[in-house]
Amino acid sequence: MTTTFDAIKFKTTTLSQWQEAAEAWHRWGPTLKTWLGPATERMMDLGSIGEGDRVLDVAAGAGEQTLAVAQRVGPQGHVLATDLSPRILEYAECSARDAGFFHVSTLAVDGEELEVEPGSFDAAISRVGMIYFPDQQKALRRILAALKPGGKFSTIVYSTAANNGFFSIPVSIIRERAELPPPLPGQPGPFSLGSPGVLADALREAGFTDVVSETVSAPLRMAKATDCLDFERESFGALHQMLSGLDDAAKEATWKEIEQALLEFEGPEGFEGPCELVIAAGTKQA
């Protein structure tokens, strides 16, 4: 029986998940922009991102936030979007070209193995990406090395499971239905950096100074609960991986249970799924 976390297997599975979910994550981009847009702006503010800056976007996904950064830095700046999944970066690149942002480039790379010119970026970001790194300290040290002295890294993660019912309830239902054990020590996950002080402490441990952190409410608002179900079912690859041990009938029954649970957050004005985020930033010492 496995009693230790297998980081290599986790990365292989994560790559497969995002290769498969790439199209859906891109298609749901407008939802991501509406939902996470205000937090993204705050992340850029905390990172002091401005016109002409060179910015590194780690675990960029389909690049919705990459475009927001590209808009802010303007054509005199540059944004490098990196991700483990080459397929999802194809969508990021196409979106940038469609928007006329020719100052965006992409690089398929594991964030823990990031190889860019040291000290070449004014700022770095990662929106809901740090939770996927088995060795978060290694990833943070790579980001730190990429920054110029005085450069800032800003990031967003989910807070606690209790304050993110839109996601944690489906996870708990699947875990029970699939009879999955609790996460192993050191295993990354959606809420692994969400407890008070954990993200800020991680930045300090990696060598960042002047660390700031704040918690913000970011409810996921949609027309109805079934829209949230579709969003998660189509684009949250980790949920499918958790379900992989069940047969088709059991999977469908699980999704039905999740749908019923999400109805708790549907009211006369639509669906409002509880979501709370932690936004933090740190500086590379000059």
Side-chain angles (χ1 to χ4, degrees), residues 42-177:
R42 184 59 181 154
M43 174 178 67
M44 291 190 291
D45 290 343
L46 289 180
S48 300
I49 295 172
E51 188 171 355
D53 282 346
R54 286 178 49 84
V55 182
L56 173 66
D57 186 355
V58 180
E64 188 277 316
Q65 76 291 330
T66 307
L67 301 191
V69 175
Q71 178 71 42
R72 183 175 286 211
V73 303
Q76 300 307 310
H78 182 78
V79 187
L80 174 62
T82 72
D83 199 275
L84 184 65
S85 165
R87 186 174 299 166
I88 208 167
L89 283 178
E90 290 175 6
Y91 289 100
E93 188 168 3
C94 287
S95 293
R97 297 299 173 264
D98 289 346
F101 293 151
F102 299 102
H103 53 295
V104 172
S105 59
T106 62
L107 175 66
V109 64
D110 180 349
E112 292 181 15
E113 306 298 335
L114 186 65
E115 294 286 352
V116 296
E117 183 180 351
S120 59
F121 290 91
D122 300 290
I125 66 164
S126 184
R127 189 178 79 176
V128 199
M130 292 302 303
I131 57 176
Y132 293 105
F133 294 123
D135 191 338
Q136 292 162 343
Q137 281 300 304
K138 186 175 182 181
L140 286 169
R141 289 193 297 270
R142 296 278 181 162
I143 293 168
L144 183 68
L147 291 171
K148 298 176 182 178
K152 293 186 177 183
F153 170 60
S154 52
T155 184
I156 299 173
V157 302
Y158 298 112
S159 71
T160 61
N163 291 329
N164 284 276
F166 88 99
F167 193 10
S168 62
I169 288 175
V171 167
S172 64
I173 290 172
I174 292 173
R175 189 173 295 281
E176 182 177 354
R177 284 263 188 168

